[in-house]
Amino acid sequence: MNFDFSDDQKQLRDQARRFLAEKCSPKAVRAVLEGKADYDRELWKGLAEMGFLGVAIPEEYGGTGAGHLELCVIAEELGRALAPVPFSSTVYLAAEALLLAGSEEQKQKWLPKISSGEAIGTLALFEGTGNPSPAAVKLAVSNGTLTGTKKPVADGAIADFAIVAARTGTSGRETDVSLFLVDLKAGGVTAKALQNVDPSRQQAELTFAGAKAEPLGAANEGWSILSRVMDRAAVLIAFEQVGGADRALEMGRDYALDRIAFGRQIGSFQAIKHILADMYVSATLARSNSYYGAWALSTDAAELPEAAASARISATQAFQHCAKQNIQVHGGMGFTWEFDCHLYYRRANALALSLGSQSYWEDQLIDRMRQKNAA
């Protein structure tokens, strides 16, 4: 196995990095974090024009049909730049759910709109605190309409449609959960923005009051579909985390080389060297696990469940570690609003909870390895 990207994929990475360096500077990220805008609309439009939104969507649905490896490349660059756009909710979650379980009509309606940047999608799964589980899904469906509340929902207040997990049985098993597609602009849904640690990536509470819903996928197979979507998204978000971890490491390294104390670069002090070395180790381990996840995702390998969990765990640890230690390397300046260190610290902690907690994915990895060994 060659766990590296091809020359064409590396060229795509360079193209994405140049584009984001021009269109998504820290100033642009701060404009969303500190301002009233929900996301960077110009950047979103630019991502669509570059073909990045549809990179893993087949050509017959308006995408470029490149594939998931290319999407991993884009995800890493978005993570480096802390892009304040609804990319993960729309592309990793909503689009992947449509590709896995959507009807031909649903795909034809929404996937071209995603590729063109016309539509924003999301996944409405959580109903308050706690990790994903079939028992945690309480929102009910009756006669084709949904009633209940979902929160937090990534980009829920700006989304045009949502893939919603709803309870359709009372047995207590996974088969009680089904998925539905809801046009959030059609009525019956109200959205309320929620405060969160990273205001550059919006979270919302969605209240459904008789909202019309279309079944997505086979009845009572919602949790099985969700598990596959979550595994795919875990790999893709891991690449965002790897990109953020690498950039935090670079920021710490550059500051250590520039900052002079006691007549020396602070990077020459052993304590700083140790911090940077630990950051490098964690980021490199996360990249290794994420590459394994990328291979499993792109080939739809049987190892994807374990690979996704290991990528998610190591990338979450790496980004949080590197973001925190970057602040330490910067010292007192690292804690100030004017420096960009806190932007990465915010994103690291927000992504750490985006698909369930670290402990949830650790339990998932252990369970999946046990099942594999038992087989």
Side-chain angles (χ1 to χ4, degrees):
M1 296 180 187
N2 178 21
F3 286 132
D4 197 5
F5 293 113
S6 68
D7 291 341
D8 287 344
Q9 290 157 353
K10 291 177 181 177
Q11 186 177 1
L12 175 64
R13 178 185 61 196
D14 295 340
Q15 180 187 29
R17 187 169 298 187
R18 289 193 300 269
F19 171 79
L20 289 166
E22 178 183 352
K23 302 294 185 179
C24 188
S25 65
K27 182 178 179 180
V29 177
R30 285 177 176 271
V32 176
L33 184 139
E34 299 172 2
K36 295 181 179 180
D38 296 313
Y39 67 104
D40 189 329
R41 286 167 171 78
E42 286 301 313
L43 178 58
W44 184 250
K45 180 181 177 182
L47 292 170
E49 292 172 348
M50 294 292 288
F52 295 159
L53 297 180
V55 71
I57 294 176
E59 292 183 41
E60 60 263 36
Y61 302 121
T64 65
H68 284 96
L69 285 180
E70 287 75 11
L71 184 53
C72 289
V73 169
I74 300 301
E76 182 177 345
E77 296 310 310
L78 292 171
R80 281 181 61 89
L82 302 180
V85 290
F87 195 94
S88 59
S89 55
T90 301
V91 178
Y92 309 160
L93 294 169
E96 289 297 321
L98 283 167
L99 288 170
L100 280 173
S103 66
E104 186 63 23
E105 182 180 357
Q106 290 168 337
K107 292 177 183 178
Q108 291 287 355
K109 179 179 180 179
W110 292 108
L111 291 177
K113 291 182 179 181
I114 290 174
S115 299
S116 66
E118 181 182 350
I120 295 170
T122 189
L123 174 68
L125 170 59
F126 294 95
E127 299 184 18
T129 58
N131 286 312
S133 72
V137 177
K138 305 297 183 184
L139 183 141
V141 59
S142 177
N143 298 321
T145 62
L146 298 177
T147 302
T149 301
K150 293 286 188 179
K151 67 174 184 179
V153 180
D155 303 303
I158 58 175
D160 297 289
F161 73 98
I163 309 300
V164 183
R167 178 163 296 280
T168 51
T170 58
S171 68
R173 296 190 294 267
E174 293 183 1
T175 53
D176 288 344
V177 178
S178 299
L179 293 184
F180 297 87
L181 191 154
V182 179
D183 184 340
L184 298 178
K185 307 302 182 184
V189 185
T190 57
K192 180 178 73 174
L194 300 175
Q195 290 186 339
N196 70 94
V197 69
D198 182 9
S200 69
R201 290 299 309 275
Q202 194 247 20
Q203 299 284 340
E205 175 182 298
L206 296 183
T207 301
F208 299 86
K212 293 182 179 180
E214 305 173 17
L216 184 86
N220 303 323
E221 290 188 10
W223 195 257
S224 175
I225 299 167
L226 270 174
S227 296
R228 296 173 65 191
V229 171
M230 294 274 282
D231 285 344
R232 292 176 174 221
V235 174
L236 295 165
I237 289 180
F239 272 92
E240 281 200 20
Q241 293 170 307
V242 166
D246 274 358
R247 182 62 192 130
L249 171 59
E250 291 171 7
M251 290 170 64
R253 177 204 63 196
D254 293 346
Y255 185 80
L257 293 175
D258 290 340
R259 179 76 167 92
I260 303 298
F262 306 106
R264 297 167 55 183
Q265 295 170 316
I266 65 170
S268 66
F269 295 116
Q270 190 175 50
I272 301 297
K273 290 180 180 179
H274 286 174
I275 291 175
L276 293 171
D278 287 344
M279 292 167 69
Y280 176 80
V281 170
S282 63
T284 302
L285 177 61
R287 180 173 296 278
S288 177
N289 280 285
S290 296
Y291 274 32
Y292 180 42
W295 165 80
L297 173 60
S298 64
T299 59
D300 199 22
E303 294 89 343
L304 178 58
E306 305 100 84
S310 60
R312 170 68 176 169
I313 293 165
S314 60
T316 298
Q317 292 173 338
F319 195 9
Q320 288 188 304
H321 175 75
C322 289
K324 180 179 179 180
Q325 295 306 314
N326 180 38
I327 295 175
Q328 297 299 319
V329 170
H330 280 75
M333 295 298 292
F335 288 87
T336 64
W337 187 266
E338 289 74 14
F339 270 59
D340 294 332
C341 302
H342 69 93
L343 302 179
Y344 286 84
Y345 187 70
R346 289 171 182 276
R347 184 61 62 86
N349 285 288
L351 289 181
L353 295 173
S354 60
L355 295 176
S357 69
Q358 176 86 351
S359 61
Y360 168 79
W361 285 97
E362 290 171 345
D363 290 342
Q364 290 292 303
L365 179 59
I366 293 170
D367 290 342
R368 291 167 182 185
M369 293 179 68
R370 284 174 174 168
Q371 292 171 10
K372 184 178 180 180
N373 291 335

